[in-house]
Amino acid sequence: MRNDQSGDEREYAVVKRSVVVGGHKTSVSLEDAFWTSLKDIAIRRGMTLSTQIASIDTNRKTSNLSSAIRLYVLEHFRTRAASTMLIGERQMPSTRFVPPGPE
């Protein structure tokens, strides 16, 4: 990896971070975008990052914790996007085509 990376390249670089899960130290390798999003989700839910990671660890369906975290963050934002679309759709007038009736 080059030392003269731009900000965009650093955002996509995978960084290894040490975390404590269930009292045991382990490491996860995540891009900054996933790490920042994970911290934001934990803050919004009123929990510590360690508690959030422990919850993901307990409920994961994959053997790799880093992958489980990425999938968790992805699902969080997918759910938010879907609920935002549903809320927006309820507020918008119908766009269904209604053929004109006989005059």
Side-chain angles (χ1 to χ4, degrees), residues 4 11-12 25 32 37-38 44-45 47 50 53-54 60 66 69 75-76 84 98 100-102:
D4 62 340
E11 181 180 356
Y12 299 108
K25 192 173 182 179
D32 278 343
S37 294
L38 182 64
R44 288 176 184 269
R45 294 193 168 163
M47 53 180 35
S50 292
I53 294 172
R60 67 181 156 143
S66 298
I69 291 170
E75 184 59 28
H76 172 82
T84 300
V98 179

Side-chain angles (χ1 to χ4, degrees), residues 14-59:
V14 176
V15 178
K16 193 174 216 173
R17 295 173 171 88
S18 295
V19 295
V20 177
V21 179
H24 296 84
K25 192 173 182 179
T26 188
S27 63
V28 294
S29 298
L30 294 171
E31 297 79 1
D32 278 343
F34 282 103
W35 184 252
T36 301
S37 294
L38 182 64
K39 290 192 300 186
D40 290 344
I41 293 167
I43 289 168
R44 288 176 184 269
R45 294 193 168 163
M47 53 180 35
T48 66
L49 187 58
S50 292
T51 303
Q52 181 70 72
I53 294 172
S55 174
I56 295 168
D57 185 46
T58 300
N59 297 303

Side-chain angles (χ1 to χ4, degrees), residues 32 37 55 61 71 83 92 96:
D32 278 343
S37 294
S55 174
K61 309 264 190 285
L71 291 170
S83 66
M92 294 177 66
R96 289 186 308 153

